[in-house]
Amino acid sequence: MLPLSLLNAAQNKPMLVELKNGETFNGHLVNCDNFMNITLREVYQTNAEGERFWKLKECYIRGSTIKYLRVPDQLLDAVKEEQNRAREAGRSARGGTGGRGGRGAPQRGRGARGGPVRGGRGRGRGM
């Protein structure tokens, strides 16, 4: 499962963010970008020692400072199921047996009559 697809699915859901310096943020995800920068709303911030708390209306967290994210388990299950459905739909849409090539495609490593390939790059004069 890709982290960014999970974050995109987690919009407007509650989450916990711990930074590398030990501070934690509990809030609802508003937005995220490709660098994993996130915006939270209705945030409770806790310092690294857990002694002080702040309530913030909204905050922006740079992705490179994030140690880990915690999202609801139901969200993880839902994203896994959706990705499995998309994978199955992709397989059935391609058709065939999933083998290489189609009609008339040469087999790799074989010549015209099924024998070894002669010549080619880096094989000298082929004697």
Side-chain angles (χ1 to χ4, degrees):
M1 175 181 328
L2 296 174
L4 288 175
S5 63
L6 178 62
L7 281 178
N8 287 327
Q11 287 191 0
N12 298 316
K13 303 278 191 300
M15 67 169 26
L16 173 123
V17 180
E18 183 172 332
L19 304 185
K20 293 176 182 176
N21 67 6
E23 292 182 1
T24 60
F25 294 81
N26 283 292
H28 289 78
L29 181 65
V30 175
N31 200 0
C32 68
D33 65 12
N34 290 338
F35 298 103
M36 215 175 288
N37 301 321
I38 62 174
T39 306
L40 298 174
R41 65 177 162 80
E42 301 170 15
V43 182
Y44 290 97
Q45 179 183 357
T46 308
N47 70 344
E49 293 78 34
E51 300 167 349
R52 299 187 64 194
F53 300 89
W54 297 270
K55 183 171 183 188
L56 309 169
K57 182 177 180 181
E58 191 169 271
C59 74
Y60 176 84
I61 302 172
R62 183 180 167 122
S64 63
T65 64
I66 295 173
K67 185 179 191 178
Y68 73 85
L69 301 164
R70 179 150 188 170
V71 296
D73 291 337
Q74 298 88 357
L75 181 66
L76 287 171
D77 297 336
V79 170
K80 282 181 188 176
E81 288 176 18
E82 185 174 329
Q83 286 183 342
N84 287 338
R85 273 185 263 134
R87 188 178 303 121
E88 290 300 321
R91 285 183 185 157
S92 64
R94 281 188 231 130
T97 61
R100 287 184 56 95
R103 281 183 51 194
Q107 292 180 333
R108 284 183 73 128
R110 295 290 176 178
R113 294 191 176 145
V117 175
R118 301 224 180 238
R121 275 184 90 159
R123 297 189 180 257
R125 295 177 54 192
M127 291 187 196

